[in-house]
């Protein structure tokens, strides 16, 4: 394609944001192959298995398996066949571990002293030296917490000093049609100095914080709806059996271990609020899923709302299958992951929900004049005319 717009992908992982980049012209929650004017020229990550997944799904993308701290911007541009100022976008989500709630019990994370937090500076370095037209950075909501305000301030300052307007906002994936109550912060900037306007919310419903519903918007998408049509193919290790097997099977849909306290209808086994919310958590089929975690413990949900028999015929809760996890993260069904079940969940849990990435990148591309706001797809021949308004 002569009208391909080149993209550099940092901290690419399995390619969730890359998938959003290359499908941003498609309608919401639709993967019809209509694509996008954007193409990821080069992607880099230090996770070899995740990059194998990316390469399987994006055979045209060149990959660099290396720690970003040892990769020069000039090498990135060279591999991509680009010069400074030529990339349309730099995208990426630096590892979120330093800012995530999981691990907040570690003092260095609580005090924002995790050395991996410096990876934000590497993102700024590449943007500053590559000078793309715009950038999109994604991370966990925890980056905006007061405990990490110095890291966020340094990130915003560095990007602005590199010549970009910068806007950031925490988005709830379910409010954009993703069947998942996943909150992520997006930081978006433009080299031309124009502000980026985040896309309007399209869906409304109950979340873990809000009980109000806006009837002028579409209802949240429930997991039962998105699981429709998936083959009922069991997976090895999906049955949750063992120490808490019976207890997990007795938890009703939408409930968690609190069911088994003296305040609810189960067995009075656990003390009130003595565990994490996700412990023994079951999906409510009519509501979005809670956040899919990359490395859940054996009793960390969400588990499916239906029970299945174990080898002895006893009913047990079951873990979500890979096709179900892909639907929750709005990956295309045909997207292939490399690795065993545990490795695949790690890649999926670390990814950006494709539809959430799509809606942000589409808004950016529309505002930059590369996509028609009316939904007719790429309009590269009108780029210069659009930018004059």
């Amino acid at each position: 394609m002569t009208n391909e717009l080149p993209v550099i992908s940092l901290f690419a992982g399995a390619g969730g944001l890359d998938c959003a980049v290359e499908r941003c012209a498609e309608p919401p929650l639709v993967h019809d192959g209509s694509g996008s004017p954007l193409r990821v020229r080069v992607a880099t990550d230090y996770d070899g298995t995740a990059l194998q997944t990316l390469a399987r799904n994006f055979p045209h993308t060149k990959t660099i398996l290396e720690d970003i701290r040892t990769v020069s911007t000039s090498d990135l541009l060279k591999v991509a066949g680009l010069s400074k100022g030529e990339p349309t976008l730099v995208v990426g989500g630096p590892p979120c571990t330093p800012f995530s709630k999981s691990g907040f019990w570690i003092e260095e994370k609580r005090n924002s002293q995790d050395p991996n937090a410096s990876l934000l500076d590497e993102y700024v370095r590449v943007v500053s030296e590559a000078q793309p037209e715009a950038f999109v950075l994604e991370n966990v909501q925890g980056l905006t917490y007061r405990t990490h305000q110095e890291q966020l301030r340094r990130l915003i300052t560095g990007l602005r000093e590199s010549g970009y307007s910068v806007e950031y906002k925490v988005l709830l994936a379910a409010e954009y049609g993703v069947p998942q109550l996943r909150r992520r912060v997006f930081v978006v900037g433009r080299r031309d100095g124009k502000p980026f306007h985040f896309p309007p919310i399209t869906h409304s419903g109950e979340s873990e914080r809000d009980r109000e519903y806006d009837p002028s918007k579409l209802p949240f998408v429930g997991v039962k709806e998105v699981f429709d049509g998936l083959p009922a193919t069991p997976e090895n290790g999906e049955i949750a059996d063992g120490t808490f097997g019976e207890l997990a099977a007795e938890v009703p849909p939408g409930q968690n271990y609190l069911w088994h306290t003296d305040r609810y209808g189960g067995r009075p086994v656990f003390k009130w609020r003595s565990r994490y919310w996700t412990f023994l958590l079951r999906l409510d089929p009519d509501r979005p899923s809670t956040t899919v975690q990359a490395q859940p413990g054996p009793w960390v949900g969400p588990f499916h709302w239906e029970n299945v028999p174990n080898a002895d015929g006893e009913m047990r809760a079951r873990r979500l299958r890979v096709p179900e996890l892909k639907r929750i993260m709005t990956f295309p069904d045909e997207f292939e992951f490399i690795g065993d079940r545990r490795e695949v969940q790690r890649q999926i849990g670390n990814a950006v929900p494709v539809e959430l990435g799509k809606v942000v990148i589409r808004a950016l591309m529309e505002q930059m004049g590369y996509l028609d706001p009316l939904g007719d797809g790429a309009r590269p021949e009108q780029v210069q005319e659009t930018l004059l308004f």
Side-chain angles (χ1 to χ4, degrees), residues 17-311:
L17 198 52
D18 304 70
C19 192
V21 162
E22 299 209 358
R23 292 176 178 263
C24 71
E26 296 172 338
L29 293 174
V30 171
H31 301 295
D32 60 6
S34 60
S36 155
L38 297 166
R39 288 293 178 271
V40 179
R41 289 281 190 89
V42 62
T44 182
D45 203 287
Y46 66 90
D47 184 332
T49 306
L51 270 192
Q52 288 180 46
T53 293
L54 188 147
R56 172 70 63 85
N57 294 278
F58 304 96
H60 56 274
T61 299
K62 296 179 180 178
T63 59
I64 299 177
L65 176 60
E66 199 168 337
D67 188 321
I68 189 63
R69 288 168 289 198
T70 65
V71 179
S72 69
T73 305
S74 60
D75 284 344
L76 281 168
L77 290 169
K78 182 178 180 180
V79 171
L82 300 170
S83 300
K84 179 179 179 179
E86 289 185 342
T88 301
L89 296 180
V90 165
V91 301
C96 60
T97 306
F99 314 112
S100 64
K101 288 183 179 179
S102 57
F104 238 55
W105 54 273
I106 303 175
E107 185 176 0
E108 67 176 13
K109 293 185 184 295
R110 207 166 49 244
N111 295 330
S112 202
Q113 297 173 340
D114 191 321
N116 285 328
S118 65
L119 294 175
L120 292 174
D121 297 327
E122 297 301 319
Y123 187 97
V124 174
R125 169 180 65 86
V126 174
V127 169
S128 178
E129 295 173 354
Q131 285 291 295
E133 291 185 53
F135 65 82
V136 176
L137 181 148
E138 178 269 351
N139 215 288
V140 294
Q141 181 185 9
L143 177 59
T144 65
Y145 292 171
R146 184 166 56 183
T147 49
H148 302 307
Q149 62 184 359
E150 176 55 29
Q151 276 72 19
L152 180 60
R153 184 202 63 78
R154 190 170 73 243
L155 171 67
I156 301 300
T157 299
L159 291 167
R160 285 177 175 160
E161 290 179 347
S162 300
Y164 292 83
S165 63
V166 182
E167 312 293 336
Y168 73 92
K169 187 176 183 179
V170 175
L171 304 182
L172 175 60
E175 292 183 331
Y176 296 91
V178 176
Q180 187 176 181
L181 296 170
R182 189 182 188 103
R183 296 179 188 272
R184 287 297 184 269
V185 61
F186 281 81
V187 184
V188 184
R190 295 177 58 169
R191 193 179 64 200
D192 61 11
K194 295 181 180 180
F196 171 70
H197 302 285
F198 280 91
I201 291 170
T202 56
H203 293 66
S204 179
E206 289 189 8
S207 70
E208 70 278 13
R209 301 179 185 178
D210 303 315
R211 295 293 180 264
E212 296 183 358
Y213 169 70
D214 184 349
S216 69
K217 294 182 171 55
L218 296 169
F220 279 171
V221 178
V223 286
K224 183 178 181 180
E225 177 182 343
V226 299
F227 288 177
D228 184 50
L230 288 177
T233 306
E235 292 182 358
N236 291 333
E238 70 174 27
I239 298 176
D241 214 347
T243 307
F244 300 109
E246 289 186 19
L247 294 175
E250 294 170 4
V251 174
Q255 299 286 341
N256 61 3
Y257 80 97
L258 293 175
W259 179 254
H260 291 300
T261 66
D262 57 10
R263 302 194 188 190
Y264 282 92
R267 310 185 203 182
V269 175
F270 303 107
K271 292 182 179 180
W272 184 256
R273 293 185 177 176
S274 61
R275 304 269 181 156
Y276 282 111
W277 177 258
T278 51
F279 187 69
L280 305 187
L281 179 64
R282 305 292 294 272
L283 287 174
D284 181 334
D286 298 319
R287 300 187 66 230
S289 170
T290 53
T291 298
V292 172
Q293 299 193 31
Q295 295 176 308
W299 301 105
V300 171
F303 296 94
H304 199 277
W305 62 89
E306 294 180 345
N307 290 325
V308 293
N310 63 11

Side-chain angles (χ1 to χ4, degrees), residues 227-234 318 321 323-324 327 333:
F227 288 177
D228 184 50
L230 288 177
T233 306
R318 75 163 174 85
R321 296 162 182 162
E324 294 166 341
R327 289 277 180 97
D333 287 346

